[in-house]
Amino acid sequence: MGLFHKVNGKRKLTLRGKEAVAGYLFAIPFLIGFFGLFLPMLIKSVQFSFSNMTVEKGGYVLTKAANGGLEHYIRALTIDPKFNISLLEAVKDMAVNVPLIIIFSFFAANLLNQKFKGRGIARSIFFFPVILTSGIVLGIESSDLLQTTLGPEGMLSADDANTVFNVAGFLLNYTNLPSGIVMYLSQAVLGIYDIVIASGVQILIFLAGLQGISPSLYEASNMEGATAWENFWKITFPMISPLILVNAVYTIIDSFTSANNELMQTIKTTIFSDVKYGYGSAMAWIYFLIIVVIIAIVGGMIGKRVFYMD
């Protein structure tokens, strides 16, 4: 089907053509912002990362960095221990938190998709953390509540340590789970607050996907005698699998760029406080490339198992 068809000798847009025009109109603000504002800054950032900058009267002067322009990249990867430690910590936090956030948000969305009184209020409560994690509210929350909970220097308090040991002991005594999984789940208990805070958007996406599943699929399945468990694995999970990929990518990016990310703070401090634009830009691009590689790996792994209904 083409974008135009003839009506009374005149060319008019088909439904597909109207949808295409609407898509272009929605994309125009993004394209203007990307090519007019974002792309020039990206190019300048790449230029900074291969250069040394000196501020002079009337502006700044860029000179090519040593080692063929790779001086800042070599320093970040082989000399600066703080950058490598922060980078490994960011990757570790992502690997720990992303599966927990995806599982929790999927579970919460399934609960919120059920029919019960006060469902609208419950949905609002689960989305409320998204509002809390914006602007000055996050600054107040991070500098007060979390630091008070974690104690000095972010160390676990005695109560937190007892909680981890109690949960681990319970799981070891009453389940056959491997010890590594037990410790992972025990640590997740302490991080439940952060998990809930980071799950608002993912819950909303999963909820929209669940509501988009046709009830006729469940009706036909129930007529064939399928159980609720079989309906979940044969209908709900496959139909929602594309959104698992979307939420996984979103959560990875959110984890790497969150306000509590130590490496992000280091990059900001290097560029804006220490005025080391070249070195800070090199750290940012290394970080960006590592994020792209991780997203490509995760996307490839999940994408092979995604079900798309034709």
Side-chain angles (χ1 to χ4, degrees):
M1 181 184 293
L3 300 180
F4 295 91
H5 64 135
K6 287 187 178 181
V7 178
N8 297 328
K10 296 181 179 179
R11 296 182 66 193
K12 291 189 177 182
L13 285 170
T14 61
L15 177 60
R16 181 180 176 185
K18 292 178 181 179
E19 291 176 347
V21 171
Y24 286 126
L25 290 176
F26 277 108
I28 284 175
F30 167 78
L31 295 175
I32 294 174
F34 180 79
F35 289 103
L37 299 174
F38 191 66
L39 185 59
M41 290 188 290
L42 273 181
I43 296 173
K44 186 64 67 176
S45 175
V46 174
Q47 187 180 4
F48 282 157
S49 70
F50 292 103
S51 308
N52 291 316
M53 187 184 73
T54 55
V55 179
E56 298 180 358
K57 183 181 294 185
Y60 61 85
V61 176
L62 296 178
T63 56
K64 189 175 181 179
N67 298 314
L70 298 176
E71 175 188 2
H72 302 306
Y73 290 91
I74 294 173
R75 177 185 172 188
L77 293 173
T78 63
I79 299 176
D80 189 352
K82 185 178 180 181
F83 174 77
N84 291 303
I85 293 173
S86 298
L87 180 59
L88 291 175
E89 189 69 24
V91 174
K92 186 196 75 172
D93 290 342
M94 181 278 302
V96 171
N97 293 330
V98 168
L100 293 173
I101 292 172
I102 296 297
I103 293 171
F104 172 80
S105 57
F106 187 44
F107 175 74
N110 275 279
L111 290 180
L112 295 174
N113 193 44
Q114 307 301 316
K115 293 182 179 180
F116 57 90
K117 291 184 178 180
R119 183 172 61 172
I121 297 175
R123 291 175 179 176
S124 301
I125 291 173
F126 273 91
F127 190 71
F128 192 63
V130 177
I131 302 174
L132 289 178
T133 55
S134 61
I136 193 171
V137 178
L138 179 62
I140 296 173
E141 177 188 33
S142 299
S143 62
D144 185 12
L145 177 59
L146 293 182
Q147 288 186 4
T148 301
T149 303
L150 291 174
E153 299 182 0
M155 299 296 291
L156 289 177
S157 65
D159 291 338
D160 292 336
N162 289 333
T163 300
V164 172
F165 288 126
N166 290 336
V167 174
F170 175 82
L171 292 175
L172 287 172
N173 289 331
Y174 295 98
T175 67
N176 294 321
L177 295 174
S179 58
I181 296 179
V182 168
M183 291 307 300
Y184 177 77
L185 295 175
S186 302
Q187 291 288 346
V189 172
L190 290 181
I192 189 65
Y193 175 79
D194 293 328
I195 293 171
V196 174
I197 286 291
S199 299
V201 172
Q202 294 88 330
I203 291 173
L204 193 65
I205 293 174
F206 277 136
L207 187 58
L210 291 171
Q211 292 179 343
I213 300 176
S214 175
S216 61
L217 294 176
Y218 294 106
E219 293 174 0
S221 178
N222 292 332
M223 290 178 64
E224 294 294 331
T227 63
W229 184 251
E230 290 172 332
N231 282 339
F232 175 80
W233 286 110
K234 299 296 184 180
I235 299 177
T236 304
F237 191 80
M239 295 293 289
I240 212 73
S241 59
L243 298 182
I244 295 177
L245 176 59
V246 172
N247 275 335
V249 173
Y250 173 85
T251 309
I252 290 171
I253 296 174
D254 186 57
S255 174
F256 278 130
T257 59
S258 67
N260 296 324
N261 189 305
E262 183 179 348
L263 184 54
M264 289 290 294
Q265 296 299 326
T266 300
I267 294 173
K268 289 180 181 179
T269 301
T270 302
I271 295 176
F272 299 109
S273 299
D274 300 339
V275 198
K276 297 178 180 178
Y277 286 89
Y279 184 50
S281 297
M283 288 195 297
W285 277 105
I286 293 172
Y287 192 36
F288 170 76
L289 292 175
I290 289 175
I291 294 173
V292 170
V293 170
I294 291 175
I295 290 176
I297 294 173
V298 173
M301 293 173 59
I302 300 177
K304 294 179 179 178
R305 296 166 176 81
V306 169
F307 170 79
Y308 293 101
M309 185 174 180
D310 296 329

